[in-house]
Amino acid sequence: MKLKVAIGALAWALLISVMHVHLNIGWGSFSDRIAVMRGQQRAELMIGFLPVT
């Protein structure tokens, strides 16, 4: 029983994380950020962008 709860909690956390990346960041932007962190490409600057919440 404890194993099922642990697996369910892990699956839920993974699902929420994947949904967050998909909805808030986007996969294209996420892969670009990873490439910049790894030093494979240079970072692009965005000038004049103000996020609205």
Side-chain angles (χ1 to χ4, degrees):
M1 183 68 175
K2 291 180 184 179
L3 181 62
K4 287 182 182 180
V5 171
I7 290 174
L10 184 62
W12 179 255
L14 182 64
L15 177 69
I16 294 297
S17 298
V18 167
M19 288 177 63
H20 170 73
V21 169
H22 177 68
L23 294 174
N24 293 329
I25 301 172
W27 291 113
S29 175
F30 185 70
S31 63
D32 289 342
R33 288 182 188 182
I34 296 296
V36 168
M37 283 191 279
R38 295 174 90 190
Q40 296 173 342
Q41 90 183 38
R42 300 183 95 186
E44 295 180 11
L45 297 176
M46 296 181 72
I47 299 172
F49 175 73
L50 297 174
V52 177
T53 58

